[in-house]
Amino acid sequence: MNLFKRGRKSPQNPEKPNGTVETSLEQKPGGVSNVYYSIELPDGSANTNENMDFKNQSSSANNVMKTLRQTLLQSLFDKKLWPHRLTIIVFAFVTVAAVSFTLLWQVDNKAVYRQQVGEVAQDEVNAPKEISYSSKVLTKEAQERNANSAANDIYRRDESVVSNQREAQRKLLEVISNVRGLGPLAIPALNSDPQVLAAKLTDTDLKPIIFLSEDKWTTVAAEARNSFNSVLARNIRTEQLQEELTRLSNSVFTPWNLSPSFTQLDVADRQIVITLIKPFIVANNMLDIEATKRKQDEARSNTTSVIQTIGKGQNVVRKGERLTALQIEMMEQLGLRNNFLNWETITGMVGIIAMLILVLCFYFSQLAAQFWHNRKTLAFITLSLVVAAIAIRLLVSSDERTLRPYLLPLAAIPMVVAALLDVQLAILLTSILALLVGLVSGNPELTLVYFAGGCVGALILWKAERTTAFAFAGLGVIIAQFTVGVCYYLVINSLDGATLGLMLVFNLASGLVSASLAFFSYSVLGKFFGVTTVIQLLELAHPNQPLLRRLMREAPGTYHHSMLVGTLAEQAAERLSGDALLARVGAYYHDIGKLERPLYFIDNQGNGPNIHDTLDPRQSAKFIRCHVEDGVRLAQQYRLPKRVVDIIHQHHGTCLVSYFYNKAVKMGLDVNELDFRYAGPKPQTKIAALVMLADGSEAAVRANVQSGRIITGQTPAVQTLTTEQANRKMVTISEVVNKIVDDRIKDNQLDECDMTLRDIEQVRRLFIEILTSIYHPRVDYPDPSTPKPSEGQVVSATTVVDVTPMDLARVTTSAADGGAPEAHPVLPAKTATTEKENQDTINNPKPRPTGGIGGAGRLIGKERGSEE
């Protein structure tokens, strides 16, 4: 149906107004409706809901991108995040650099490994293993030999050289012919002629020529031209020139080397002919440099790689000889020098390590952010990875396939990390270390073996509370590694008896050493790196500890209170899957600051006078608040673990000492609420928050029970109440606990820890259940000297003292914040509350037995005697 039409009529469609918005509803089963609309724009174009959806989506996407950009810019320039980012960068850089350097660095054992080509070797080197590799040095030598072969030289005949030399000889012969008629004067004339000088003819050479007869000269000159053409008709290379000149000189006596007409001349005339030829004989066959270079390159490319094989124990270098490039290469290939790694290997190794450390940093950021705030923990993790890398370098090699890597006690690191820090972190480190072993060895078998062994060891030691757990963890490592190794060998079908025996022995050694190292590191490194260990906590939980002994003697009320708080906090931590032992120990020591002034606290005063009756409320509040700082100082003096000290520091948060604050307000004093609040900080962890809630709940419930405001036990069928009981306002344990928890929530004391509403609700119910069990009903034992009660008579289990009334909020808060409420305050009158109300709160349909502290007693039947 059309919901509305609005606007002027469109010229194109008079029945529809211009700018009409039409909307229709389509009813679908189940009450779901689809809305369809169409917009007729003034220009007559229609804009349907699909177009509008597209525009809305585009606008929404733009807004999201804009918001994302703004968030990224704010995060980038937020100075508060810079220390956190700096911590991440420093941790990642240092860890990657240290692990990469350890895995890539080659250990130098001899000075010869650092020497260069041409230096005299200072040590003798023998091959530690057998290898075969493609030798670059020998291959290059073979390439140069093939390239420099004479077969690759390409020559070209240069006819211009022949023509030039023929013309030079013609000019010389012409000059000599012109001056021969001068007789003796011809020699001085020839000595100054350029042609003669160029031919380097001496007077000794010219004199026989000048005195030849004209016929002889004509014959000799003609033979000189013919013999010259005969010699240069051959291809003469530069390297062959000297040989050709020598043969030409010998032609005087062996004339058959030249033309037949030359042999007809006598020896003197032959010498003259050689003199006129020899200066003009040059190389006429020149090397074609470009063609030759191409031929040489082709020869190099066709040369195959030379494989060099080195046997184990073979002498590579002798002391005192000069090192060659081949010897340097052989030492590099044997892994004996530092510079044998190429940039591809270095880049690949560093890249893989960096990616693994990046995964570790991402885990910290997403699942374990608390580690970023503990630099000692980060240093411990970095040191663990570096130590593991050193062990890998010493025992794992990619060049030989042996069972020696099974001796690697790599499982010790995840075992220690699981026992000291976190099992999830331990498993992640196990994965990283197993991958590094596989990377260095090139063997996937070792990755599987050490991943299984590390995970088993870490899981066994998780939450271990006895030192014998390390022995069980070592046994688990042995079984896991041996089983995976055997199964892998069965997969590749190469297992024999000898291999099985060696594998068992090596795994035994690895597991035992791993357990021993883990136990030693757990005991030593825990204190050094500030990590609280289970052993430390167990020692602190022992009653013979000096602080607990002092608390028992000097502040017995506080000691008893601390024990009950420890019970509550421990069970709450177990319910929330937290560190129950830490919660118990933290609760034991949370009030040790009261040892400085035990009588300033109501739980240690007994029946003595209350010192606060004579003090100003502000002074009293100061003394009450000081027990936190005194406790921290005392804990540091006794060297308690930092996690326990933090619980002492945070167990009151910034709560208000309400009793003295209200007292000061009633007295009309000028008060500042901050002077009555603890200095904090608020609880930063779930365990500290549990101790805070347990402390307040136990104190408040105990105060109400002791004053008679909480009646435990089921109301009997026949109940006799005194006048005071009938006029007294009673409360339940559930009301007191809920009051304490609600007050802490309203006061924002739990804002800085990771407790959820679900956690808080579970803690409420658990505290009510435990406190109801602690303050359980007890029956009165009849005095033998008094008459026995008749059947049906009610016996009161507790006598309630009548004192001044006080409301619930005042009593619970005063008792919980460590203040000093009146010794026996009483609430306004209300009908007596039964324990059944407490049990209903914790969903327990069966009420507990009647009687007990503050109860109305229980009916004693004939068939049942008294019971506790």
Side-chain angles (χ1 to χ4, degrees), residues 215 247 338 351 367 378 387 460 485:
D215 293 338
R247 189 172 63 175
N338 286 337
L367 298 176
L378 296 177
V387 170
I460 293 177

Side-chain angles (χ1 to χ4, degrees), residues 103-130:
L103 293 179
L104 292 173
W105 180 55
Q106 302 299 308
V107 181
D108 284 337
N109 295 322
K110 296 181 179 180
V112 68
Y113 299 152
R114 298 187 296 272
Q115 292 185 271
Q116 304 300 324
V117 176
E119 296 181 1
V120 177
Q122 299 182 19
D123 301 285
E124 182 174 300
V125 179
N126 295 321
K129 56 188 175 182
E130 180 179 353

Side-chain angles (χ1 to χ4, degrees), residues 179-188 210-211:
V179 299
R180 283 183 73 256
L182 298 178
L185 298 178
I187 293 177
I210 294 301
F211 293 103

Side-chain angles (χ1 to χ4, degrees), residues 404-542:
R404 187 180 64 180
Y406 277 92
L407 291 171
L408 183 64
L410 198 65
I413 291 178
M415 290 164 67
V416 172
V417 172
L420 291 179
L421 300 176
D422 179 65
V423 67
Q424 294 179 350
L425 175 60
I427 292 176
L428 179 59
L429 286 178
T430 302
S431 304
I432 293 175
L433 295 177
L435 290 173
L436 288 179
V437 172
L439 177 65
V440 173
S441 65
N443 187 359
E445 169 196 354
L446 297 180
T447 300
L448 299 174
V449 166
Y450 285 110
F451 176 76
C455 288
V456 170
L459 292 172
I460 293 177
L461 279 181
W462 181 41
K463 291 187 176 181
E465 297 186 358
R466 297 182 182 273
T467 55
T468 54
F470 286 91
F472 288 108
L475 180 61
V477 170
I478 294 172
I479 295 174
Q481 293 186 172
F482 178 73
T483 302
V484 173
V486 169
C487 292
Y488 185 86
Y489 270 85
L490 290 177
V491 170
I492 62 177
N493 298 321
S494 61
L495 184 64
D496 52 33
T499 301
L500 185 65
L502 282 176
M503 190 181 298
L504 178 60
V505 172
F506 286 4
N507 278 307
L508 281 172
S510 175
L512 293 176
V513 173
S514 296
S516 302
L517 290 176
F519 179 74
F520 174 78
S521 303
Y522 177 80
S523 304
V524 176
L525 297 181
K527 291 184 179 180
F528 184 78
F529 286 99
V531 179
T532 305
T533 65
V534 174
I535 293 178
Q536 286 178 283
L537 295 177
L538 289 174
E539 291 176 351
L540 291 174
H542 198 279

Side-chain angles (χ1 to χ4, degrees), residues 587-653:
Y588 283 176
Y589 291 86
H590 79 284
D591 271 346
I592 58 173
K594 293 181 180 180
L595 286 172
E596 297 293 326
R597 305 176 186 86
L599 295 181
Y600 280 73
F601 300 89
I602 192 67
D603 45 2
N604 299 314
Q605 292 176 359
N607 294 324
N610 190 345
I611 195 172
H612 294 286
D613 293 340
T614 61
L615 294 178
D616 183 278
R618 292 167 293 191
Q619 192 70 16
S620 296
K622 179 180 179 181
F623 286 131
I624 296 300
R625 291 187 293 112
C626 281
H627 87 277
V628 174
E629 287 73 18
D630 293 338
V632 171
R633 184 173 60 256
L634 202 58
Q636 293 173 345
Q637 177 183 342
Y638 280 81
R639 299 183 181 276
L640 296 187
K642 184 178 182 303
R643 297 173 71 185
V644 177
V645 177
D646 290 341
I647 292 175
I648 297 173
H649 204 185
Q650 301 166 15
H651 81 276
H652 274 302

Side-chain angles (χ1 to χ4, degrees), residues 91-253:
F91 169 76
F93 177 79
V94 171
T95 306
V96 171
V99 175
S100 300
F101 179 78
T102 304
L103 293 179
L104 292 173
W105 180 55
Q106 302 299 308
V107 181
D108 284 337
N109 295 322
K110 296 181 179 180
V112 68
Y113 299 152
R114 298 187 296 272
Q115 292 185 271
Q116 304 300 324
V117 176
E119 296 181 1
V120 177
Q122 299 182 19
D123 301 285
E124 182 174 300
V125 179
N126 295 321
K129 56 188 175 182
E130 180 179 353
I131 62 170
S132 294
Y133 68 96
S134 176
S135 173
K136 293 182 180 180
V137 174
L138 296 180
T139 300
K140 186 175 182 179
E141 291 177 357
Q143 289 175 343
E144 293 304 318
R145 284 196 303 270
N146 294 337
N148 295 329
S149 174
N152 295 322
D153 295 339
I154 299 177
Y155 291 88
R156 308 290 183 190
R157 180 178 176 81
D158 193 347
E159 294 296 338
S160 62
V161 172
V162 176
S163 300
N164 292 335
Q165 295 302 100
R166 186 181 291 115
E167 180 64 19
Q169 186 193 42
R170 186 191 65 79
K171 290 181 179 180
L172 176 63
L173 295 177
E174 183 178 354
V175 169
I176 293 174
S177 297
N178 292 334
V179 299
R180 283 183 73 256
L182 298 178
L185 298 178
I187 293 177
L190 290 175
N191 286 335
S192 60
D193 188 271
Q195 301 299 328
V196 177
L197 294 175
K200 297 179 180 182
L201 297 178
T202 63
D203 292 346
T204 304
D205 296 329
L206 294 174
K207 185 178 293 184
I209 297 174
I210 294 301
F211 293 103
L212 279 176
S213 63
E214 191 64 26
D215 293 338
K216 282 275 188 181
W217 166 247
T218 302
T219 302
V220 167
E223 187 56 36
R225 285 191 289 269
N226 292 335
S227 297
F228 174 76
N229 290 333
S230 176
V231 173
L232 286 188
R234 298 192 293 268
N235 293 327
I236 303 175
R237 300 176 183 175
T238 302
E239 63 272 15
Q240 297 173 342
L241 179 61
Q242 187 60 42
E243 180 184 355
E244 191 68 28
L245 293 176
T246 301
R247 189 172 63 175
L248 191 62
S249 298
N250 294 334
S251 297
V252 176
F253 305 100

